[in-house]
Amino acid sequence: MRLGAIEAGGTKMVCAVGDENGNIFEQVKFPTLMPEETMAKIVGYFSDKEISAVGVAAFGPVGIDKKHPNYGKLLETTKVEWKNFDLLGSLKGLNVPMNIETDVGGSCIGEAWKGAAKGLDNVVYVTVGTGIGAGIMVNGKIVHGMLHPEAGHIRINKRSTDSCDSVCCYHENCVEGLASGTAIRARWSLPAEELLDREEVWELEADYIAQALANYIMVVSPQKIILGGGVMHVEKLFPLIREKTKQYINGYLVADELEDMDSYIVKAGLGDDQGIVGCLKLAADCLGRT
Amino acid sequence: MRLGAIEAGGTKMVCAVGDENGNIFEQVKFPTLMPEETMAKIVGYFSDKEISAVGVAAFGPVGIDKKHPNYGKLLETTKVEWKNFDLLGSLKGLNVPMNIETDVGGSCIGEAWKGAAKGLDNVVYVTVGTGIGAGIMVNGKIVHGMLHPEAGHIRINKRSTDSCDSVCCYHENCVEGLASGTAIRARWSLPAEELLDREEVWELEADYIAQALANYIMVVSPQKIILGGGVMHVEKLFPLIREKTKQYINGYLVADELEDMDSYIVKAGLGDDQGIVGCLKLAADCLGRT
């Protein structure tokens, strides 16, 4: 079976053809320009690929509730040209069943299906990049709810010695505003890759991320947390985050998983392909339902 | 069909007989004393009630993962006599199918089945009493995960003018430590019922609870939040909590549910019976599976 996968990001669109086992046969990228021209390229790419279904993982906020009129549409996104754009509708010309998730939801599905959380039903996938977001799986299904999680916007405690303002224009102390790649650059006036030997940068960064993770653990009790995104390419963050998360829990939770933090908080298992692999699962799922 | 329900609390055990429609026929209470004598009374009570199944909602932490060896047992509870006690095992003499949840999980099930969240699949039930806890339903199922949520222990921002230490011995600024009934009493040296006309008490209390709710919303995106427990009998907390929660979200989330905060953050619909009603659902469910 040949399946289509579209990882719709704010700067690029990754399109791939693969199968129901998560194999990727080919992959291309298009820049995210104006909606109509971008989507026309994508439809053109898939037109001769003989795919049976398409899975989409999209930047957001995006309507993912099949029962809601906004299903498949981009909502109040900061990319103004894309606001209210009917993403799934623009793919109707492919004439195949479709399924859509948030970008982080797609990545979480990919990692739980074929990656670092293979076989688990309760997983948090966090991306720390330009922004911070989380895809959350509970009892084997991605959390949607009223809208979908916006877990990068939980409040954390800002350190009193941190004089840098949040880069989130909505929240003065959410983890995205204080610990995203954008926040790192604003605070230290340099991109992450030029700050690698500055220990104070990563100690603070790990502290803020660990506060968020400790809260996710208290709320949804995941069996594993996967950290991806550009900032997490800084490998030394992992041991710092593990140690500080453990300190924030402070022995309150007793569970086998927390005995080995090295296998509880881990890096992504699929490199940069978890989103596309998740889309293949979404495509396969929607065939299963049709 | 006659079903048994046991709400196992740290100070009292509520036992009831009811049916698969949530009707309660009779209800009794026993004080929570030593495990063996307490459970013998409960088994005695049910022995002639001709019940077909039992649902239990228990104080915790408690093992609720059917696949784990600690299923049905109390874990690292502060009630030392009950630590590691096999709660479900002590009911085996009843010789009926059994099902167990956390106390707040049971209440969440009750409210989603017959109460204020009837018909919804994504619900957070928060109890603000001696402690703070939350039962969380996602996609129609209670969140378990690695252990179960301990959402009273999420970190919030302590106000700089609040000089009272957290009453949680694990966390210096979790919402339970700063906003439970125990915390109110420690801060103001009076129980809640003698502080009713002190506006500053409820303004601070509402602020701390709203911080927690805003975080729950960002993580699991519930369709409705239900507030129960002794402290929430202070009715004037509701409008304060709604207003502050909205302020903390600060327009970032656009969803129909948030347009009407009066119907988004509500009091419990089943008075004090949501736990017992949830237990009847648990009992009915386990018959459906057997």
Side-chain angles (χ1 to χ4, degrees):
Chain A
M1 190 190 300
R2 290 170 65 84
L3 301 169
I6 303 172
E7 198 177 5
T11 55
K12 66 175 190 288
M13 298 278 179
V14 183
C15 299
V17 178
D19 70 13
E20 73 279 16
N21 298 311
N23 298 306
I24 301 169
F25 303 143
E26 59 174 89
Q27 190 163 321
V28 294
K29 290 173 190 174
F30 303 108
T32 303
L33 306 171
M34 296 300 284
E36 283 77 13
E37 64 175 299
T38 307
M39 298 314 291
K41 273 189 193 154
I42 291 174
V43 171
Y45 167 73
F46 282 114
S47 61
D48 62 350
K49 297 293 184 293
E50 300 186 335
I51 54 171
S52 306
V54 171
V56 182
F59 68 102
V62 57
I64 51 175
D65 175 0
K66 290 190 166 63
K67 289 173 281 187
H68 198 284
N70 70 17
Y71 178 66
K73 294 180 183 167
L74 290 164
L75 308 176
E76 294 292 313
T77 170
T78 50
K79 285 191 77 76
V80 288
E81 303 88 355
W82 289 78
K83 192 167 154 174
N84 301 321
F85 181 72
D86 186 356
L87 192 63
L88 273 197
S90 74
L91 295 167
K92 272 185 185 154
L94 294 173
N95 209 20
V96 294
M98 293 182 279
N99 208 344
I100 191 166
E101 254 302 336
T102 62
D103 44 11
V104 282
S107 293
C108 189
I109 290 170
E111 289 288 337
W113 187 36
K114 297 288 177 186
K118 198 170 169 176
L120 298 181
D121 284 337
N122 300 279
V123 179
V124 173
Y125 174 88
V126 183
T127 179
V128 186
T130 315
I132 294 182
I136 302 176
M137 181 176 281
V138 165
N139 290 322
K141 287 189 173 178
I142 294 295
V143 178
H144 291 173
M146 165 178 78
L147 181 61
H148 48 65
E150 284 284 354
H153 292 270
I154 67 162
R155 296 166 58 77
I156 59 169
N157 280 281
K158 187 176 173 179
R159 200 175 280 185
S160 59
T161 52
D162 179 10
S163 59
C164 186
D165 285 340
S166 166
V167 298
C168 172
C169 51
Y170 292 93
H171 306 120
E172 64 182 9
N173 48 6
C174 69
V175 66
E176 172 164 303
L178 295 176
S180 61
T182 313
I184 294 173
R185 186 163 193 145
R187 181 178 296 112
W188 307 100
S189 306
L190 286 170
E193 53 272 26
E194 292 179 42
L195 293 162
L196 291 180
D197 58 352
R198 299 269 297 276
E199 298 306 324
E200 71 276 24
V201 172
W202 307 109
E203 189 278 325
L204 182 65
E205 178 70 8
D207 183 67
Y208 286 163
I209 294 172
Q211 288 189 47
L213 300 193
N215 277 0
Y216 303 158
I217 292 167
M218 294 300 177
V219 180
V220 291
S221 198
Q223 296 161 290
K224 198 177 282 277
I225 295 176
I226 299 167
L227 300 178
V231 173
M232 295 312 304
H233 288 143
V234 181
E235 295 265 349
K236 65 174 146 187
L237 273 171
F238 281 90
L240 289 168
I241 290 170
R242 291 179 187 124
E243 185 191 339
K244 286 169 185 286
T245 303
K246 191 157 193 163
Q247 285 168 6
Y248 282 122
I249 296 170
N250 198 26
Y252 179 70
L253 303 177
V254 179
D256 300 340
E257 289 87 343
L258 298 176
E259 293 299 306
D260 178 11
M261 293 299 278
D262 290 352
S263 66
Y264 186 66
I265 297 175
V266 300
K267 67 177 172 178
L270 299 176
D272 292 323
D273 284 338
Q274 54 281 113
I276 283 295
V277 171
C279 290
L280 291 173
K281 176 75 160 60
L282 285 167
D285 281 351
C286 75
L287 281 181
R289 282 206 299 274
T290 50
Chain B
M1 191 189 300
R2 290 170 64 86
L3 301 170
I6 303 171
E7 199 177 4
T11 55
K12 66 176 189 288
M13 297 279 178
V14 183
C15 299
V17 178
D19 69 13
E20 73 279 16
N21 297 312
N23 298 306
I24 301 169
F25 303 144
E26 59 174 271
Q27 191 162 323
V28 293
K29 290 172 191 174
F30 303 108
T32 303
L33 306 171
M34 297 300 285
E36 284 76 13
E37 64 175 299
T38 307
M39 297 314 292
K41 273 188 194 155
I42 291 175
V43 171
Y45 166 73
F46 282 115
S47 61
D48 62 350
K49 298 292 183 294
E50 299 185 338
I51 54 171
S52 306
V54 171
V56 182
F59 68 102
V62 56
I64 51 175
D65 175 359
K66 289 191 167 63
K67 290 173 281 187
H68 197 285
N70 71 16
Y71 178 66
K73 295 181 183 166
L74 290 164
L75 307 177
E76 294 292 312
T77 171
T78 50
K79 284 190 79 75
V80 287
E81 303 88 354
W82 289 78
K83 193 167 155 174
N84 301 320
F85 181 72
D86 187 356
L87 192 63
L88 274 196
S90 74
L91 295 167
K92 272 185 185 153
L94 295 173
N95 209 20
V96 294
M98 295 183 276
N99 209 342
I100 191 166
E101 254 302 336
T102 62
D103 44 10
V104 282
S107 293
C108 188
I109 291 171
E111 288 288 337
W113 188 37
K114 297 287 176 185
K118 199 170 168 175
L120 299 180
D121 284 337
N122 300 279
V123 179
V124 173
Y125 174 89
V126 183
T127 180
V128 187
T130 315
I132 294 182
I136 302 175
M137 181 176 280
V138 166
N139 290 321
K141 287 189 173 176
I142 294 295
V143 178
H144 290 174
M146 165 178 77
L147 181 61
H148 48 66
E150 284 285 353
H153 293 271
I154 67 162
R155 294 167 58 78
I156 59 170
N157 281 281
K158 187 176 173 179
R159 200 174 279 185
S160 59
T161 53
D162 179 10
S163 59
C164 186
D165 285 340
S166 166
V167 297
C168 171
C169 52
Y170 292 93
H171 307 118
E172 65 182 9
N173 49 6
C174 70
V175 66
E176 171 164 303
L178 295 176
S180 60
T182 313
I184 294 173
R185 185 162 193 146
R187 181 178 295 112
W188 307 99
S189 306
L190 285 169
E193 52 272 27
E194 292 178 41
L195 292 162
L196 292 179
D197 58 353
R198 298 270 297 277
E199 298 306 323
E200 72 275 25
V201 172
W202 307 110
E203 189 279 324
L204 182 65
E205 179 70 8
D207 183 67
Y208 286 163
I209 294 173
Q211 288 190 46
L213 300 193
N215 277 0
Y216 302 157
I217 292 167
M218 294 301 177
V219 180
V220 291
S221 198
Q223 295 162 291
K224 197 177 284 276
I225 295 176
I226 299 168
L227 301 178
V231 172
M232 295 313 303
H233 288 143
V234 181
E235 295 265 347
K236 65 174 146 187
L237 272 172
F238 281 90
L240 289 168
I241 289 170
R242 290 179 187 124
E243 185 191 340
K244 286 171 186 286
T245 303
K246 192 156 192 162
Q247 285 168 5
Y248 282 121
I249 296 170
N250 198 25
Y252 179 71
L253 303 177
V254 180
D256 301 339
E257 289 86 342
L258 298 176
E259 293 299 306
D260 178 11
M261 292 299 277
D262 290 351
S263 66
Y264 186 64
I265 297 175
V266 300
K267 67 176 173 178
L270 300 176
D272 292 322
D273 285 338
Q274 55 282 114
I276 283 295
V277 171
C279 290
L280 291 173
K281 176 75 160 59
L282 286 167
D285 281 352
C286 74
L287 280 182
R289 283 206 299 272
T290 49

